[in-house]
Amino acid sequence: TMDETKRPLKIPPEFTMYAEKNELFSLYERMIQEVIVSQPGDPLEHMINFLHRENDDVPQIVIVGPPASGKGSIARMVSKESGIHIIDTADLLTVDSEQAKQVKQCLSGEDDIPGDVLGAVVKDRISKKDCSDQGWMLVGYPKTRDQALALQRHGIFAKHVVFLEAPDMVLVERYMGKRIDPETGDIYHLTFEPPETPDVTRRIKPIDNQTEKHLRKLLLHYHRNIEGIRAAVSKGTTKIINADQPKTDVHAQVSHFLCQQARSVAPQCPRVILEGPRGSGKATQAALLAAKYGLVNVSVVELIKQAIADNSKVGNMMSTYIDKKMMGRKTNKHLVDIGPLPDNIVLKCLIERLSKLDCATKGWVLRGYPRSRHQAEALSEAGYAPNRVYFLECPTDTIVERLSLRRTDPVTGGQYHLIYNPPPSLEMKRRLKTHHKDAESAVDEDVLSYDSQVEELADYYATSQNVNADQDPHTVFESIESLLVKPLPKQSLKATL
């Protein structure tokens, strides 16, 4: 055993960043899950074949809903933008197997397909190259709890399950107005989606067995089984979407859900950057994140102050710029503005802090840097790219109100706000002072400076997320927290292929 009195072995922070960048933890998780589900005779050979796949992380989707809820239409829209293969009843019947023949017999007799029969057919279908390369979308199944459980027994676990819902009276209106083009198979509706050409209008026909009595029978079957289906599906992968709205809105909500990623069990080391104009609440949110999640709270301005106070090598370099008034205006050393300091000196000071063990093991939340795309690029090139970037958005009027009404008591050093935290006595109020940087004109100048850089920063950090900071601080924190604990959403379904 290792001698605990000796210095423990340390894992360099670069190892963790490499594993995260290449999603190694998720890769191993998917590979082990694949082996357990498939139970191959030779697990090692199976894992080697798994690693040789061109893309092992393809979309696996199930769309369930009552008749006329728009399952097929939404599936076609998703497939058109992403190339995901649709598996519906017609597609299942193309499978050449005994189980597929049983499926056809059940459908002709309007009976439910036995769960194990459906599971075998679907498993056979998704093993084909089109599904393994592009992903698959099972539409209209499962229809019963038995089918849902059987799919799982056959190792079929969807990453996303969409439940479309709409009132029965809406479904009846949709169902009775449905028409089909016998030549192309396209579905139309006499009211909501009529044909675009007279030729199509002349040849469209009602669908088979299109009566309200038949629809009521289908709806009754759906309502009897839907709760059992939901209970059989993992809650973390499901989304109920209101289908009683325009098709484009339903499609937008479905696509947004499909871009979300499930929480991973991979170890996380948050590297967070908070961007926003002065007065947007970056310091408050950084302190809350540090307190709850143990992150190291890093303020570049505080680092510079500390370096100067400690007379460190970097601090002395910065003092030279300040003493020579190369900052462009008189600046108190205790009120350092990093803007005119050389980028390479500021970055060196920052890297010294981020490279320490506590930042590497606990993670960090950085504010006050970067302030430009050039600084952001330099930080990433130095090996300290963030994995979360949040832009705190706040109206200028709110920022001016927050900053211009701040006051400091020169006697006690206490800080007050004339609206949110007024001084306790009239005598104290009279002696309060306003810092020159909190003057309204100075605040407006700061906001303009931030606005001139924010677009390039947001463009560089493509996975950044915006947070409404014009709210109570704890409400803002809840918004940031909800984003932090979930994996970053994919930019589009195409990004998964």
Side-chain angles (χ1 to χ4, degrees), residues 287-404:
L288 291 171
L289 285 170
K292 182 161 185 178
Y293 293 100
L295 308 182
V296 179
N297 188 351
V298 182
S299 165
V300 73
V301 174
E302 295 300 324
L303 288 180
I304 293 172
K305 290 181 187 178
Q306 190 63 48
I308 294 173
D310 293 343
N311 289 320
S312 66
K313 183 178 179 180
V314 175
N316 289 333
M317 293 171 65
M318 289 186 286
S319 291
T320 302
Y321 280 89
I322 295 172
D323 292 340
K324 290 184 177 181
K325 297 182 181 178
M326 294 179 68
M327 299 184 70
R329 62 175 182 266
K330 288 181 86 175
T331 307
N332 189 310
K333 287 185 183 179
H334 298 290
L335 300 168
V336 177
D337 181 352
I338 75 164
L341 283 172
D343 284 349
N344 62 325
I345 297 179
V346 176
L347 182 61
K348 186 174 182 180
C349 180
L350 179 58
I351 288 175
E352 282 187 4
R353 183 66 188 92
L354 297 182
S355 62
K356 291 186 177 179
L357 187 60
D358 58 348
C359 286
T361 55
K362 297 179 181 178
W364 43 263
V365 52
L366 172 63
R367 53 193 169 89
Y369 192 93
R371 298 187 178 185
S372 67
R373 181 178 182 126
H374 175 72
Q375 292 178 351
E377 291 172 347
L379 184 63
S380 297
E381 289 170 3
Y384 295 93
N387 51 21
R388 292 290 191 281
V389 179
Y390 303 117
F391 284 87
L392 305 187
E393 297 183 329
C394 201
T396 302
D397 291 346
T398 300
I399 293 173
V400 171
E401 180 185 275
R402 289 178 180 178
L403 298 181
S404 65

Side-chain angles (χ1 to χ4, degrees), residues 1-18:
T1 60
M2 183 181 292
D3 185 353
E4 294 184 2
T5 64
K6 292 186 177 181
R7 185 178 179 181
L9 296 174
K10 304 294 184 184
I11 298 177
E14 293 83 3
F15 286 15
T16 303
M17 296 179 68
Y18 176 83

Side-chain angles (χ1 to χ4, degrees), residues 26 193 270 329 374 403 462 486 492:
S26 298
E193 195 174 358
R329 62 175 182 266
H374 175 72
L403 298 181
K486 293 187 291 189
S492 69

